[in-house]
Amino acid sequence: MTAVTAPAPPPHAASPLRWVLSDSWTVARRDLIHWTRNPTVIVAGLAFPIMFVLLYGYVFGSAMIVPGGGGYREFLMPGMFAQTMMFGAAATISAVAADKARGVTDRFRSMPMAQPAVVMGRSAADMVNSVLDLAVLVACGLLVGWSSNTGPLPTLTAFGLLLLLRFAMIWVGIYLGLVVSQEAAASTWALLFPLTMISNTFVDPSLMPAWLGTVAEWNPLSATVAATRELFGNSVPELVGTSWPAQNALLLAVVWPVLIVAIFLPLAVRRYHSAAR
């Protein structure tokens, strides 16, 4: 008489959370391996913010005077940190759109894996990449004369706000990458430029025309830049405006990214699931 062996339970039966985390790490590791096998992409991604630092810090910065004194490069670097975090959305859009065009996303849907793991894995991999981008840019900033003039806790808080902005932009990138074609994804840089330029990254909004300065002050990027300048001790008192966004930059630097995540994370997950139907 042959004994009947009960079929093994599915991997998620005992611990759904562990299943999701395990599959998310597998997807994240896959994305990181693909990233390291493309050294050209790595070099280009790291060279872009460095080029911006040199271009704006030395070429344009040679004609910039910061009211109240202080070096322009010290004023500039917190803005460059935040701008790089926002520009990272373009890389996320391109990677997600490329996976969709090559059929990788459809292949993931057909596999017995936790479906949230695909978007969670992508966000985890992009966060790892962002930490490296930020570390390289900080090293570049130190070389050109920037430094944090406060203690370890405010400095770490500033870096946390920068990564929080990047985390929010990752979910914007995942959603748009699932929506647009691979060809259209290449043009997303053009959409990000107005968002990064109409801000307090390079000049204070008070020096802009009134209507443009108002738009710049309410830009989510401006909140992160102003908050990190204050936390790094790079802010210029003469340039701190009297408007509500300027006076509450630290609050907005948290509220804006949380609001963006609350909107785009569900949209990205819903888009991923609806595309499978």
Side-chain angles (χ1 to χ4, degrees):
M1 184 174 180
T2 304
V4 178
T5 303
H12 60 282
S15 178
L17 178 59
R18 183 177 180 181
W19 183 44
V20 171
L21 293 177
S22 176
D23 286 353
S24 297
W25 166 241
T26 300
V27 174
R29 186 175 60 178
R30 172 256 179 193
D31 293 335
L32 289 171
I33 290 174
H34 277 227
W35 186 64
T36 56
R37 289 178 179 175
N38 290 276
T40 303
V41 176
I42 298 176
V43 173
L46 296 178
F48 183 77
I50 294 175
M51 178 190 68
F52 260 53
V53 170
L54 298 178
L55 178 63
Y56 285 96
Y58 287 97
V59 179
F60 298 151
S62 60
M64 300 291 291
I65 298 176
V66 180
Y72 179 70
R73 286 189 291 276
E74 189 172 74
F75 171 84
L76 173 69
M77 286 311 301
M80 296 305 305
F81 297 153
Q83 184 191 58
T84 301
M85 296 297 97
M86 181 166 278
F87 268 134
T92 302
I93 295 171
S94 298
V96 173
D99 278 350
K100 184 182 66 174
R102 290 195 295 258
V104 175
T105 304
D106 290 334
R107 177 59 177 163
F108 279 144
R109 291 194 189 99
S110 67
M111 297 174 66
M113 61 183 297
Q115 293 304 303
V118 178
V119 291
M120 290 177 61
R122 164 55 59 184
S123 65
D126 281 5
M127 284 302 296
V128 173
N129 295 343
S130 301
V131 171
L132 178 58
D133 288 343
L134 187 56
V136 170
L137 197 57
V138 167
C140 181
L142 293 172
L143 290 175
V144 301
W146 170 85
S147 64
S148 176
N149 303 318
T150 55
L153 184 58
T155 300
L156 291 175
T157 303
F159 287 133
L161 290 178
L162 291 167
L163 292 175
L164 179 62
L165 176 65
R166 178 67 182 107
F167 182 72
M169 296 308 297
I170 284 174
W171 289 104
V172 175
I174 292 174
Y175 173 70
L176 293 179
L178 292 171
V179 171
V180 305
S181 64
Q182 188 175 8
E183 293 75 16
S187 63
T188 53
W189 292 97
L191 299 176
L192 289 171
F193 263 105
L195 290 174
T196 57
M197 294 299 176
I198 306 176
S199 67
N200 60 358
T201 301
F202 304 107
V203 297
D204 191 84
S206 63
L207 304 176
M208 302 177 185
W211 67 271
L212 191 61
T214 300
V215 173
E217 284 186 326
W218 283 98
N219 187 337
L221 178 63
S222 294
T224 299
V225 173
T228 53
R229 278 190 182 127
E230 181 179 348
L231 290 167
F232 285 137
N234 302 144
S235 61
V236 181
E238 287 78 1
L239 290 180
V240 177
T242 58
S243 64
W244 194 90
Q247 295 294 322
N248 296 273
L250 186 57
L251 173 64
L252 287 178
V254 175
V255 171
W256 272 123
V258 170
L259 181 61
I260 292 171
V261 172
I263 293 172
F264 282 94
L265 191 156
L267 286 176
V269 174
R270 187 179 307 168
R271 178 67 183 180
Y272 177 80
H273 286 297
S274 64
R277 300 186 186 127

